[in-house]
Amino acid sequence: MEGKKQQQLFQRAWWLALISILYNILEGGISTYFGIDDETLALFGFGMDSFVEVISGLGIAHLYWRLRKHNIAQRDRFEVTALKVTGTAFYLLTVSLVLGASFQLWQQKHPVTTLSGIIIAILSILTMYFLYQHKLSVGRKLNSAPIIADAKCTLTCFRLSLVLLISSLLYEWLHLPYIDAAGSLVIAWFAYKEGKEAFQKARTGALSCGCKD
């Protein structure tokens, strides 16, 4: 591949990483606001997950910036630190959601509405699918394992959005008090898995994502 074309593709990958960061900041702010306002733990947890993804995204953007200049085989100190902070934040989120869901079930609390969760989840599904397709396309053109791995990790956010959509739709239709708590527990499970993967990547320093298709 010509050097100029390669640089353009790496530049595109870097911009995709920045879009991911900015979108997660926006999504996190809106989701946590409506999560508190509508008293839906699943939406609040989804928003907090987005904020943690911002930390992870900074490490990924830094990685892409280094890939533009030369081939690399290991993560540097900044990326490893970002992974450790990300993993810790995901574990804290997991504990918080489990405790919150337990309290919600015990007190028989339920959301005012989950309409905001439905709208946010649909927008997130569309955005994550867009990012997945474009990251995968760039990764394949460059034959870059780190970029392909990151694209596959975006599928986790896509699946998380599906969880929010399903739980929000079910509550809006059925109004059963435990549905929101159940959705937040599934989000907690995803957060635990992401935290575990972040620490694994920090420990090995490998560029692979460790996410499943």
Side-chain angles (χ1 to χ4, degrees):
M1 183 182 295
E2 296 180 4
K4 185 177 180 181
K5 178 68 173 178
Q6 187 180 48
Q7 285 300 309
Q8 288 175 342
L9 288 170
F10 276 120
Q11 181 74 12
R12 188 185 303 174
W14 188 71
W15 277 110
L16 287 170
L18 287 185
I19 291 171
S20 299
I21 292 170
L22 293 174
Y23 178 79
N24 276 312
I25 292 173
L26 181 63
E27 180 181 78
I30 294 173
S31 298
T32 52
Y33 172 79
F34 282 104
I36 294 171
D37 193 55
D38 295 339
E39 299 180 18
T40 163
L41 183 61
L43 181 56
F44 178 79
F46 181 80
M48 293 304 296
D49 184 275
S50 298
F51 282 135
V52 180
E53 292 290 353
V54 171
I55 304 171
S56 175
L58 291 173
I60 292 169
H62 181 72
L63 171 65
Y64 285 1
W65 185 263
R66 292 202 298 139
L67 283 170
R68 293 173 59 199
K69 299 179 179 179
H70 49 77
N71 292 326
I72 56 176
Q74 292 287 314
R75 299 178 187 272
D76 67 8
R77 181 177 296 179
F78 177 85
E79 292 152 19
V80 171
T81 301
L83 284 169
K84 290 179 179 178
V85 173
T86 299
T88 301
F90 273 130
Y91 281 155
L92 290 173
L93 177 59
T94 300
V95 174
S96 299
L97 288 176
V98 170
L99 292 175
S102 301
F103 179 79
Q104 191 179 56
L105 290 170
W106 178 47
Q107 293 289 322
Q108 288 292 296
K109 291 183 175 294
H110 54 84
V112 176
T113 177
T114 54
L115 182 60
S116 299
I118 294 170
I119 296 170
I120 292 169
I122 292 172
L123 291 174
S124 182
I125 287 169
L126 295 174
T127 303
M128 290 304 133
Y129 186 75
F130 166 85
L131 290 171
Y132 166 71
Q133 290 290 342
H134 283 266
K135 287 179 181 180
L136 190 62
S137 175
V138 171
R140 285 174 174 171
K141 288 176 182 177
L142 287 169
N143 194 27
S144 171
I147 297 176
I148 292 173
D150 178 43
K152 292 179 178 179
C153 280
T154 304
L155 286 178
T156 300
C157 298
F158 178 84
R159 291 162 184 158
L160 202 60
S161 304
L162 283 176
V163 170
L164 177 64
L165 178 61
I166 292 169
S167 67
S168 298
L169 281 172
L170 286 175
Y171 179 81
E172 202 65 25
W173 288 338
L174 303 176
H175 294 284
L176 296 175
Y178 60 81
I179 290 177
D180 186 62
S184 64
L185 287 174
V186 176
I187 292 173
W189 179 72
F190 272 99
Y192 170 76
K193 283 188 62 181
E194 290 180 282
K196 184 178 179 181
E197 288 166 359
F199 275 112
Q200 286 175 341
K201 288 182 282 187
R203 185 169 58 253
T204 63
L207 297 177
S208 61
C209 178
C211 302
K212 303 296 182 184
D213 292 343

